[in-house]
Amino acid sequence: MLNEDVCERIRQAATIIGESRHLVAFTGAGISTDSGIPDFRSQNSGVWRDVDPLKVASIYGFRHDPQAFYDWVRPLSELMLSAEPNAAHHALADLETAGHLRSVITQNIDMLHSRAGHRQIFELHGHMRQATCIHCFAVCDGENVMRQFLSDGQVPRCPQCGSGILKPNVILFGEQLPFRELQGAQDAARDCDVMVVVGSSLEVAPADGIPLLAHRTGAKLIIVNLEPTPADRYADVVIHGRAAHILPEIIRYVEKSE
Ligand code: APR
Ligand code: ZN
């Protein structure tokens, strides 16, 4: 049950979205926790609570000890391969179908936005759809590579050159973000008049600069997050709550006012 203050904020967010001409969404791991995928920094459940990201999820760590990366990513990839989009993903997809939402910029590698039916997605931190050989750069089907690893526990080797190790096309710490994705996300942030930011602590650069770029270029910000974020003070509406509860309510008000 949502309290009156949250309902008022939902109505404000719906009014801003209903009046927007170029709405863009920006999402983080928090939008997928209701699909069973843990986020990274939540106090009691975040993935980084028990491991040092720079040891297991950096490109240096991967090259030095790929087994440590694959052992770390095992539980996450099991969850991602079986997860379904939740009500928050579907609410954003409905906004795109209704012609309100132009694109989604996401830090998530779980592919749940594409599985919810979005067409224009900027995956800033890559995805698990493909895996690339770090020796000969051959590209393989990422989901098959992960399923193979989940069944035999062996670090996946390249079928092309036979010796190289396959790395999922996710961006590890120390790697450049994919140019096209970052460029597209920055253009979308400059062009939008409203950005709805969902489920991100906004603690990782350069992704965390995207909502601020939108704000600096005149867009209104709506933030839906369980905890406060550094961008809350720039936002027109801040709603601290579960995305899977809040976003469908916002959409309901948008549809009611049409
Ligand atoms: N609804 C709304 N917010 C939620 C929910 C939910 N159901 N569940 C968690 N949150 C919030 C948390 O309170 C937290 O502030 O989502 C935020 C998730 O923050 P992070 O765990 O830091 O995830 P994210 O911002 O996506 O991290 C960015 O860091 O480690 C890297 O590459 C990784 O893409 C990731 C990047
Ligand atoms: Zn190879």
Side-chain angles (χ1 to χ4, degrees), residues 162-243:
S163 62
I165 289 168
L166 292 172
K167 173 182 156 299
N169 282 19
V170 299
I171 305 304
L172 301 182
F173 287 105
E175 284 192 288
Q176 293 287 328
L177 269 58
F179 177 75
R180 192 190 77 82
E181 306 296 314
L182 183 56
Q183 184 81 41
Q186 289 168 334
D187 290 347
R190 284 190 199 95
D191 296 343
C192 72
D193 61 351
V194 178
M195 180 174 280
V196 56
V197 180
V198 186
S200 179
S201 63
L202 297 179
E203 287 195 19
V204 174
D208 65 340
I210 298 288
L212 297 183
L213 174 60
H215 170 71
R216 271 205 312 276
T217 45
K220 290 187 174 175
L221 285 187
I222 297 166
I223 296 179
V224 177
N225 204 58
L226 268 183
E227 293 159 348
T229 78
D232 284 8
R233 59 193 159 133
Y234 305 112
D236 298 76
V237 181
V238 177
I239 308 174
H240 290 153
R242 300 197 77 81

Side-chain angles (χ1 to χ4, degrees), residues 59 62-63 70 130-142 145 156-169 175:
I59 188 59
F62 183 89
R63 286 183 179 281
Y70 275 102
Q130 286 142 349
T132 302
C133 173
I134 60 170
H135 178 65
C136 74
F137 305 108
V139 178
C140 306
D141 180 296
V145 167
R157 296 273 168 188
C158 171
Q160 196 94 357
C161 68
S163 62
I165 289 168
L166 292 172
K167 173 182 156 299
N169 282 19
E175 284 192 288

